[in-house]
Amino acid sequence: MKTKSLLLLSLIFLISCKNETPKIEISKDEIIKQNIGNKLKGMLKNPDSYEFVSMDLAQSFTVKERKENITKANLEEMRELNKTIPSPDLLDRMETEYSYLKNQTDDNKIALYRYNFVAKGTNSFGGIIQSKYSTDVLNDKNYTVLNISKND
């Protein structure tokens, strides 16, 4: 009887143990750092030299605050202006943010994060430089980086 019980318990134990690898959760800040790196590398002369140093949240904006600035009328003005003075990056930023905002119903939800960050890279002469940047990140499911501007 003891052997049957022991055998049954062993079988239950073996069946309940699965060889699943644990899922690794990536934090919001890590996703944002990756997204910043991907966008910034496209702007650098030597993207392989990119090295992230630090990042600080400078400001957050609610849906209500952003809806005051990103309106349908402003978007249409930007589209018209883009025809005479091409600025595809700015237009893309406004269209992306407007698309996100028009689907938001909670005006108190955070819509946009503004971060200051520091990154290193190699310049054209091979010297290592460290630069300060600011970026706006949309609070969507992908944490879309809307723009990056150099602060040096």
Side-chain angles (χ1 to χ4, degrees):
M1 185 69 174
K2 284 184 177 181
T3 30
K4 287 183 181 180
S5 298
L6 185 59
L7 185 61
L8 183 61
L9 284 174
S10 298
L11 183 62
I12 291 172
F13 178 74
L14 288 173
I15 291 172
S16 66
C17 292
K18 295 180 181 176
N19 287 336
E20 290 183 15
T21 56
K23 292 182 181 178
I24 299 172
E25 291 285 327
I26 300 175
S27 71
K28 173 182 81 169
D29 285 346
E30 286 300 316
I31 294 169
I32 291 171
K33 284 179 190 178
Q34 287 175 358
N35 291 345
I36 289 171
N38 292 339
K39 186 146 186 136
L40 186 60
K41 284 178 184 179
M43 300 165 55
L44 298 175
K45 291 180 182 175
N46 187 359
D48 293 335
S49 70
Y50 167 79
E51 182 183 334
F52 189 85
V53 177
S54 65
M55 178 176 79
D56 297 309
L57 179 63
Q59 197 170 4
S60 299
F61 300 93
T62 63
V63 169
K64 181 179 179 183
E65 290 171 317
R66 295 309 297 162
K67 280 183 175 180
E68 291 171 2
N69 294 319
I70 308 295
T71 64
K72 181 78 171 166
N74 289 350
L75 181 58
E76 291 303 323
E77 285 178 31
M78 179 55 69
R79 286 179 178 149
E80 286 301 313
L81 183 62
N82 194 53
K83 291 176 184 174
T84 55
I85 305 171
S87 183
D89 292 339
L90 186 56
L91 180 60
D92 182 53
R93 178 219 160 97
M94 281 193 77
E95 287 177 339
T96 302
E97 191 171 358
Y98 180 78
S99 294
Y100 170 77
L101 291 172
K102 74 178 182 180
N103 295 322
Q104 300 305 308
T105 55
D106 182 2
D107 282 348
N108 296 318
K109 178 183 176 184
I110 299 297
L112 187 89
Y113 298 107
R114 181 159 296 148
Y115 286 94
N116 294 323
F117 71 97
V118 178
K120 288 182 184 179
T122 307
N123 66 14
S124 301
F125 302 108
I128 297 174
I129 56 169
Q130 183 167 298
S131 301
K132 296 178 183 176
Y133 300 88
S134 69
T135 184
D136 290 340
V137 178
L138 203 56
N139 190 22
D140 60 359
K141 65 180 179 178
N142 299 319
Y143 298 108
T144 304
V145 175
L146 296 174
N147 70 315
I148 295 177
S149 54
K150 198 167 183 181
N151 290 345
D152 289 334

